[in-house]
Amino acid sequence: DIQMTQSPPSLSASLGDKVTITCQASQNINNYLSWYQQRPGRAPRQLIRYTSSLVSGTPSRFSGSGSGTDYSFSISNVESEDIATYYCLQYDSLTWTFGGGTKLELK
Amino acid sequence: QVQLKESGPGLVQPSQTLSLTCTVSGFSLTSYNVHWVRRTPGKGLEWMGVIWSGGNTDYNSALKPRLTITRDISESQVFLTMNSLQTEDTGIYYCTRNGWGGITDYWGQGVMVTVSS
């Protein structure tokens, strides 16, 4: 299976900050990379698919970029509702893989 | 409207078998893929496996020896069976619908599974 290495494991930010999370795949995943948000007690929610395409309903302060094996996800102007754990997911192969997650907390 | 709902026992004894059901409505299992994902304290979100719309299955290689996913199209249900459960299998188990373009647009609310004697 393709391995996904996500960093950092945790992040502390103030309201209005910009934060960035990265994911590195163990092989080229051809931009088949999604980002998910999971708030406590809630099911995961897909924010971005195919590296940078915002899923319907995703605020424009979320963005994604990357290619090959290296991908990143950013939140500009962090809001209180963004406090959650974020995961990357590769779906290039028939077996999907999540990254280890990044927990975003408020300073 | 589209809904997915997981059901199953909340408590399973170590070494026993887990059986979960994902009951869907608002779409056909022959048109959409259904994945199982779990969140465990030790690993965060973990993709477990999928039953594709055509009926084929794929599994996380780490779970493959213990995991089986099947479906009953007429009952709109997808089943997960996993044997030899251990405490590290404790977590919340979700099913999710996947259509084109890698979109997972609907999720169940999840079912909590505790492995304990």
Side-chain angles (χ1 to χ4, degrees):
Chain A
D1 294 355
I2 297 172
Q3 304 304 309
M4 301 299 295
T5 303
Q6 183 173 341
S7 62
S10 63
L11 206 45
S12 184
S14 301
L15 296 178
D17 279 356
K18 179 177 180 178
V19 298
T20 299
I21 300 167
T22 62
C23 263
Q24 183 171 63
S26 58
Q27 64 187 65
N28 183 1
I29 56 171
N30 300 297
N31 290 105
Y32 291 108
L33 192 284
S34 287
W35 291 95
Y36 288 79
Q37 175 192 68
Q38 188 171 33
R39 295 180 178 133
R42 305 285 295 272
R45 170 194 173 194
Q46 188 178 30
L47 300 177
I48 289 174
R49 67 171 190 91
Y50 200 60
T51 298
S52 58
S53 295
L54 268 59
V55 170
S56 175
T58 302
S60 59
R61 64 180 181 277
F62 294 96
S63 64
S65 64
S67 63
T69 61
D70 296 313
Y71 298 84
S72 64
F73 168 83
S74 293
I75 311 172
S76 59
N77 299 315
V78 166
E79 299 187 4
S80 57
E81 67 181 27
D82 300 335
I83 300 310
T85 302
Y86 293 86
Y87 296 87
C88 61
L89 169 80
Q90 73 76 22
Y91 57 102
D92 180 57
S93 67
L94 292 176
T95 57
W96 295 7
T97 320
F98 282 98
T102 298
K103 187 173 183 179
L104 176 61
E105 298 171 317
L106 274 181
K107 263 183 201 172
Chain B
Q1 79 261 32
V2 173
Q3 289 187 324
L4 298 91
K5 185 173 184 179
E6 307 89 348
S7 58
L11 181 65
V12 179
Q13 294 204 338
S15 80
Q16 296 304 300
T17 296
L18 172 67
S19 295
L20 298 177
T21 300
C22 174
T23 303
V24 310
S25 59
F27 68 97
S28 171
L29 294 176
T30 59
S31 298
Y32 288 85
N33 315 311
V34 173
H35 299 250
W36 287 93
V37 172
R38 68 179 181 178
R39 178 167 180 166
T40 62
K43 290 190 173 182
L45 289 181
E46 184 177 25
W47 181 84
M48 300 183 71
V50 57
I51 187 160
W52 302 103
S53 59
N56 290 340
T57 53
D58 281 288
Y59 302 107
N60 181 322
S61 60
L63 302 175
K64 190 172 182 177
R66 307 192 283 140
L67 184 61
T68 304
I69 298 174
T70 58
R71 70 182 183 183
D72 184 329
I73 294 171
S74 64
E75 294 293 327
S76 295
Q77 292 180 319
V78 176
F79 308 103
L80 177 148
T81 304
M82 189 162 70
N83 58 35
S84 303
L85 253 62
Q86 300 302 319
T87 55
E88 49 267 35
D89 294 312
T90 292
I92 302 173
Y93 288 70
Y94 300 95
C95 56
T96 178
R97 179 180 92 157
N98 158 229
W100 68 276
I103 293 176
T104 52
D105 52 358
Y106 288 91
W107 292 70
Q109 84 277 14
V111 60
M112 179 69 203
V113 174
T114 301
V115 182
S116 175
S117 55

